Amino acid sequence: MAQMRGPGSYGIGAQNPFGGSSDDKGESSGALDSIREQTSKIEDLLDTVSEPLRPYLPAIGRFLIVVTFIEDALRIITQWSDQLLYLHDYRHIPSGITHLFLIVNVIAMASCSTLVIIRKHSEYAVGGLIGVVVTQALGYGLIFDLNFFLRNLSVMGGLLMVLSDSWVRKTKAFAGLPQIEEKDRKMYFQLAGRVLLIFLFVGFVFSGQWSIWRVIVSLVGLVACVMVVVGFKAKFSATLLVLILSIFNILVNNFWTLHEHHPHKDFAKYDFFQILSIVGGLLLLVNSGPGQFSIDEKKKVY
């Protein structure tokens, strides 16, 4: 005959054998709920403030994403002789191929950037611009430059956000079974875009001289990056990164203050427009949200 069991036999009211108590769990859950409550209030405030700009955010984001390619195309045209000299003398590329390399890059950047801005054939446009990033890394010998590599990963993350944004619009416009495929692709590309976007900040943390302000900005930025990747309060954290990167860009990459022949002017201009591209990707994230592979979306489900 089975013996009767009291409440203690089932562990009711007894101490957790794994060392944690239900009170501890309640406290940690309460702290997390408090963070969510505060960030939700900030998000509501940001939504209210940005309401007049919201219809224009996708257009602004798309333009900023491709602005580095537009600037690069103009720079190649205005510095044509210097570009040919570098590729021929330093990269040891034959003369005919150097001309072809630059012409193809200019045409690809101009045409694909235009397609992204006007929201036409986004798949081909994004593929073309990613191809430009890869060919330039090989052509200019920058593929093993860590800072260049991380920055361009972030730029490609912004381009993937362009793709997911275009699929969001297609899903709204059409009904039927193909919608499911678009939705699945959108989820994966939003996740990949979120992950790639934060690599710029990783490069920022591990480059340059350290100071107390740099440590503070790096810590705040890294927390925001983690929140973007996991999709926890992604809109709030992406907005925070937009503010940090914009202030940093204006204060550090202010190429307009440098003399025309300053040796670092071109580098500062290049960095300035690349960061603008990543800011554009973050604005698309703010507009469309993190997607289904995120904590924010899981909260809506459960």
Side-chain angles (χ1 to χ4, degrees), residues 23 25 30 61 64 68 74-75 85 98 103 112 129 131 139 148 170 173 181 260 271:
D23 292 341
K25 291 181 181 179
L64 290 179
T68 187
L74 292 173
R75 181 164 49 85
L85 184 68
T98 57
I103 291 170
C112 292
L129 291 176
F148 175 88
K170 285 183 180 179
E181 295 179 5
E260 186 64 31
D271 288 347

Side-chain angles (χ1 to χ4, degrees), residues 3-248:
Q3 293 182 347
M4 295 290 293
R5 298 193 180 201
S9 303
Y10 290 95
I12 299 173
Q15 186 174 358
N16 191 331
F18 297 102
S21 67
S22 57
D23 292 341
D24 293 336
K25 291 181 181 179
E27 288 177 4
S28 61
S29 178
L32 187 59
D33 289 339
S34 176
I35 293 172
R36 283 176 175 167
E37 183 181 352
Q38 294 303 319
T39 51
S40 294
K41 289 179 181 178
I42 297 173
E43 280 183 336
D44 291 340
L45 177 62
L46 289 173
D47 285 340
T48 303
V49 172
S50 64
E51 188 63 33
L53 285 176
R54 186 166 297 279
Y56 308 103
L57 274 184
I60 295 170
R62 281 173 170 262
F63 174 75
L64 290 179
I65 285 170
V66 299
V67 74
T68 187
F69 297 101
I70 296 171
E71 187 275 331
D72 200 22
L74 292 173
R75 181 164 49 85
I76 289 175
I77 294 170
T78 56
Q79 300 177 1
W80 186 263
S81 300
D82 293 337
Q83 296 284 330
L84 289 174
L85 184 68
Y86 176 82
L87 291 171
H88 182 268
D89 292 356
Y90 293 95
R91 296 295 300 155
H92 308 294
I93 300 174
S95 294
I97 298 178
T98 57
H99 285 77
L100 183 63
F101 176 81
L102 293 180
I103 291 170
V104 170
N105 270 272
V106 169
I107 293 174
M109 287 189 287
S111 58
C112 292
S113 296
T114 303
L115 289 174
V116 167
I117 292 171
I118 64 176
R119 296 173 179 161
K120 298 290 185 182
H121 307 294
S122 294
E123 294 89 345
Y124 300 109
V126 168
L129 291 176
I130 290 177
V132 166
V133 171
V134 174
T135 54
Q136 284 196 355
L138 295 171
Y140 288 101
L142 297 171
I143 195 165
F144 296 112
D145 185 314
L146 181 61
N147 198 30
F148 175 88
F149 180 73
L150 293 174
R151 284 174 182 271
N152 279 281
L153 281 180
S154 291
V155 171
M156 286 192 279
L159 292 171
L160 293 183
M161 294 303 296
V162 168
L163 271 186
S164 64
D165 179 67
S166 67
W167 287 330
V168 167
R169 295 177 182 279
K170 285 183 180 179
T171 302
K172 289 178 181 176
F174 300 101
L177 289 177
Q179 245 183 347
I180 299 173
E181 295 179 5
E182 296 283 358
K183 187 177 180 182
D184 290 341
R185 286 196 295 172
K186 180 190 73 174
M187 287 191 304
Y188 291 117
F189 275 81
Q190 280 181 318
L191 175 62
R194 293 203 322 261
V195 172
L196 291 176
L197 275 172
I198 61 99
F199 275 99
L200 168 75
F201 216 91
V202 175
F204 165 76
V205 169
F206 294 105
S207 63
Q209 296 182 344
W210 286 99
S211 64
I212 184 63
W213 291 111
R214 189 181 183 86
V215 171
I216 293 172
V217 170
S218 296
L219 290 175
V220 173
L222 283 175
V223 171
C225 286
V226 172
M227 291 170 70
V228 164
V229 170
V230 301
F232 176 68
K233 295 298 179 185
K235 289 187 177 184
F236 164 74
S237 50
T239 303
L240 182 61
L241 285 176
V242 166
L243 291 174
I244 292 173
L245 290 175
S246 298
I247 294 170
F248 170 82

